[in-house]
Amino acid sequence: MANSKYEYVKSFEVEDEVMFPNLIVVCINGRNFSRFSQLHHLEKPYDLNALKLMNSCAVSVLEEYADVVLAYGFSDEYTFVFNKSSKFYQRRASKVLSIITSFFSSMFVTKWSDFFPQKELHYAPSFQGHVISCATIQVLQSYLLWRQNICHVNNQYDQCFWRLVKRGKTETEVRNLLKVAEKSNLNERLFHEFNINYNTLEEIYRQGSCVLKTMVEDIVKYADNGAPVRRRRRKIITVHKKKVASTRFWNEQTILLKELGGFTEEIDNVKSEYVHSFEFDSKLMPYTWIVVRLDGCHFHRFSEIHEFVKPNDERALNLMSSCAMAVLEEFRQDIVFAYGVSDEYSFILKRTTDLYQRRASKIISAIVSFFTSTYVIRWKDYFSNRMLKYPPSFDGRAVCYPSTEILRDYLSWRQVDCHINNQYNTCFWKLVASGKSKREAQQSLKGAQLQAKIEELAIDYNKLPIMFRQGSSVFWDRVDNVLIHPENGKSSECYGKVIVEHIDIIGSAFWLEHPGILDEKQ
């Protein structure tokens, strides 16, 4: 990061480390998935292809992140369990949550056509989530039992609900009808009214899906005499077991025993309040500006593999801004401004926002997830001749700033950082283009005055695109649309659109021209 007088704003960031020996558990679930499934005409109560898509994304998470050893999911929800010694991104809850949610979202969009080849994505799917800090292996056991019980109860209800709707009743009528129904009666209703034995429904509906790593014997080669040479290796499997929290199932899994520990006794019931008490979540301070900053994960590698133009790729920057615009439109009641540079974007939520009751985990995961999905969907709009070779992901954090003055200093810090980093990168890639190695270019710039180096390299810095030098500001542009009514005279109504500008946000001119953006009362 560049040094500037604004760097003091970093002191407002709060570390949210999940301390050892707590187990890290990440739970994500679909955001607005009722609307999403309706828009894409998914089968009710559950679309088998949608469940298989969710399972495939969970498998990809276990393949991508070695620290994740178990996942359990049903409907539009998935839980990921990290090994007990995990130091994944140094155990920061917001970073762990946002990366898993972002990668899952990215995979969901990427794999969509594999499971729905005839259905185009009309709306960017997104997920929200939270972290559970399991103090003991018994807490994890209780959590898994609770979620599988919820899977069973929800499936009973949904199987009855949607069959009654298909028969002709309205959703309100069915809701009122089932409100007083006991759980046992749901099975009876399915049998007597629809001739369905609940226990014969597919296991994936009744029991959910468990994705885990196991050991298998595999043929790795053949000896000279033709005999197979076998070795044990890890393999990711998906199973639909009746009791994933039972000692019998758990203690048969050698990898789970090694990397998480064993269950010592059976449990039959668990109160949700008990599990909720381990949720690693906090409400952000009321009446403060909330900034959610997301950063690309390993984007140096991502940009190299996708052959981004150096030091700045205009297409990549415009894609980032396009995603930021989509975020402002999606969260139009809460996000008032965004500033982006390179592979990062900062989103400003109004002081009075009550989005997700100001729960940090929900806000971070929802914004990062929606941004990621949009990035994958819109990739082809900016890189029409370049296939997306692997799914991108982003991490995020949320920080509260108590005053508008400090918030503006935060934005100034980011724009100063943009300017200095762009000076450095412009010099660096100029040196590389002249024949120096990357190591030689780094050594040449070490401790150098960048302005002097720019002059030495004959770079006309001020003629570089302003987007490279000042970053991108995204905000709602208010326009007065005057309507004249013959009887009532003149009346005006206000409407707006999201725009991107490349401007100085350190000085006061922009903020004086747009006083409504950081209006203290909103």
Side-chain angles (χ1 to χ4, degrees), residues 84-135:
K84 60 187 176 184
S85 60
S86 175
K87 293 182 180 178
F88 187 72
Y89 284 94
Q90 302 305 307
R91 301 176 67 90
R92 285 188 60 182
S94 57
K95 199 158 188 176
V96 173
L97 170 64
S98 56
I99 289 172
I100 295 299
T101 311
S102 177
F103 184 79
F104 192 94
S105 305
S106 200
M107 292 305 307
F108 191 96
V109 176
T110 302
K111 291 174 176 281
W112 173 266
S113 60
D114 295 341
F115 294 87
F116 296 98
Q118 306 301 323
K119 293 184 179 182
E120 185 179 351
L121 269 176
H122 299 294
Y123 175 74
S126 58
F127 297 82
Q128 60 193 17
H130 58 275
V131 172
I132 300 99
S133 176
C134 293

Side-chain angles (χ1 to χ4, degrees), residues 444-492:
S444 177
L445 293 173
K446 194 173 183 179
Q449 289 292 324
L450 291 176
Q451 188 59 46
K453 203 71 179 176
I454 285 171
E455 293 173 4
E456 179 188 322
L457 295 171
I459 298 171
D460 193 343
Y461 187 78
N462 291 328
K463 285 191 176 179
L464 293 177
I466 194 169
M467 174 168 57
F468 302 165
R469 294 181 282 121
Q470 295 193 337
S472 302
S473 296
V474 182
F475 55 95
W476 286 94
D477 185 34
R478 302 294 174 183
V479 181
D480 287 329
N481 184 27
V482 179
L483 301 176
I484 300 176
H485 299 280
E487 296 180 3
N488 303 327
K490 242 193 324 188
S491 69
S492 62

Side-chain angles (χ1 to χ4, degrees), residues 58-70 80-83 88-89 96 98-104 107 213 236 297-298 391-394:
V59 169
S60 294
V61 171
L62 267 71
E63 290 173 341
E64 181 73 11
Y65 304 109
D67 285 21
V68 182
V69 294
L70 172 74
F80 300 93
V81 183
F82 288 72
N83 66 49
F88 187 72
Y89 284 94
V96 173
S98 56
I99 289 172
I100 295 299
T101 311
S102 177
F103 184 79
F104 192 94
M107 292 305 307
K213 294 175 180 176
I236 297 171
C297 292
H298 307 300
S393 59
F394 299 82

Side-chain angles (χ1 to χ4, degrees), residues 225-483:
N225 61 3
V229 178
R230 300 177 183 274
R231 286 183 187 160
R232 288 178 62 78
R233 66 178 184 86
R234 289 192 174 200
K235 183 179 180 181
I236 297 171
I237 61 172
T238 302
V239 297
H240 312 289
K241 291 292 185 180
K242 189 173 182 179
K243 294 182 178 181
V244 298
S246 68
T247 55
R248 179 177 179 180
F249 170 72
W250 193 267
N251 294 336
E252 288 174 351
Q253 311 302 325
T254 56
I255 291 179
L256 297 186
L257 289 174
K258 178 183 177 182
E259 299 197 4
L260 290 170
F263 296 157
T264 56
E265 58 184 36
E266 300 289 356
I267 55 174
D268 296 320
N269 296 297
V270 61
K271 291 184 178 180
S272 60
E273 295 81 4
Y274 171 73
V275 179
H276 281 310
S277 67
F278 293 95
E279 286 187 10
F280 196 95
D281 200 6
S282 61
K283 285 192 175 183
L284 298 169
M285 193 178 298
Y287 208 65
T288 57
W289 295 102
I290 300 172
V291 175
V292 173
R293 185 167 84 243
L294 59 83
D295 294 272
C297 292
H298 307 300
F299 253 56
H300 287 296
R301 174 175 174 259
F302 183 84
S303 63
E304 286 181 6
I305 287 177
H306 292 93
E307 300 175 348
F308 284 9
V309 176
K310 300 294 185 179
N312 297 288
D313 192 307
E314 205 162 333
R315 298 162 302 174
L317 295 176
N318 286 332
L319 171 56
M320 291 286 292
S321 293
S322 174
C323 297
M325 293 172 72
V327 170
L328 261 71
E329 289 165 352
E330 178 72 8
F331 298 91
R332 62 180 63 234
Q333 301 298 323
D334 301 280
I335 299 178
V336 294
F337 187 81
Y339 176 77
V341 54
S342 186
D343 63 345
E344 81 167 49
Y345 245 102
S346 296
F347 296 94
I348 314 302
L349 283 76
K350 61 177 69 171
R351 296 183 65 148
T352 56
T353 185
D354 196 37
L355 180 64
Y356 300 119
Q357 295 77 52
R358 298 178 75 95
R359 290 179 63 184
S361 60
K362 298 283 188 184
I363 292 173
I364 295 167
S365 56
I367 291 174
V368 174
S369 175
F370 186 80
F371 187 97
T372 306
S373 294
T374 305
Y375 191 98
V376 178
I377 289 173
R378 296 189 179 182
W379 172 268
K380 61 183 181 296
D381 297 337
Y382 295 87
F383 293 90
S384 56
N385 298 321
R386 191 161 298 166
M387 186 178 69
L388 189 62
K389 296 181 180 179
Y390 71 90
S393 59
F394 299 82
D395 67 66
R397 73 192 71 187
V399 185
C400 293
Y401 294 102
S403 71
T404 303
E405 180 184 4
I406 297 174
L407 174 66
R408 279 190 53 188
D409 281 353
Y410 168 83
L411 292 170
S412 298
W413 171 49
R414 301 317 306 135
Q415 191 161 53
V416 168
D417 205 53
C418 167
H419 170 65
I420 295 177
N421 286 347
N422 188 58
Q423 282 187 322
Y424 180 92
N425 291 332
T426 301
C427 292
F428 177 87
W429 289 105
K430 179 81 171 182
L431 290 168
V432 171
S434 71
K436 289 185 180 293
S437 68
K438 291 182 180 179
R439 184 178 181 83
E440 288 171 335
Q442 287 174 339
Q443 288 299 117
S444 177
L445 293 173
K446 194 173 183 179
Q449 289 292 324
L450 291 176
Q451 188 59 46
K453 203 71 179 176
I454 285 171
E455 293 173 4
E456 179 188 322
L457 295 171
I459 298 171
D460 193 343
Y461 187 78
N462 291 328
K463 285 191 176 179
L464 293 177
I466 194 169
M467 174 168 57
F468 302 165
R469 294 181 282 121
Q470 295 193 337
S472 302
S473 296
V474 182
F475 55 95
W476 286 94
D477 185 34
R478 302 294 174 183
V479 181
D480 287 329
N481 184 27
V482 179
L483 301 176

Side-chain angles (χ1 to χ4, degrees), residues 20-89:
F20 283 111
N22 295 284
L23 296 170
I24 300 173
V25 174
V26 171
C27 177
I28 65 173
N29 60 280
R31 176 179 163 270
N32 297 336
F33 255 51
S34 295
R35 176 190 171 200
F36 179 84
S37 61
Q38 187 175 20
L39 188 62
H40 293 90
H41 306 291
L42 300 185
E43 290 290 327
K44 298 292 187 181
Y46 303 107
D47 191 300
L48 186 57
N49 283 334
L51 295 178
K52 289 179 178 178
L53 170 57
M54 292 285 291
N55 290 348
S56 180
C57 295
V59 169
S60 294
V61 171
L62 267 71
E63 290 173 341
E64 181 73 11
Y65 304 109
D67 285 21
V68 182
V69 294
L70 172 74
Y72 174 76
F74 61 94
S75 185
D76 61 353
E77 169 185 314
Y78 242 104
T79 292
F80 300 93
V81 183
F82 288 72
N83 66 49
K84 60 187 176 184
S85 60
S86 175
K87 293 182 180 178
F88 187 72
Y89 284 94

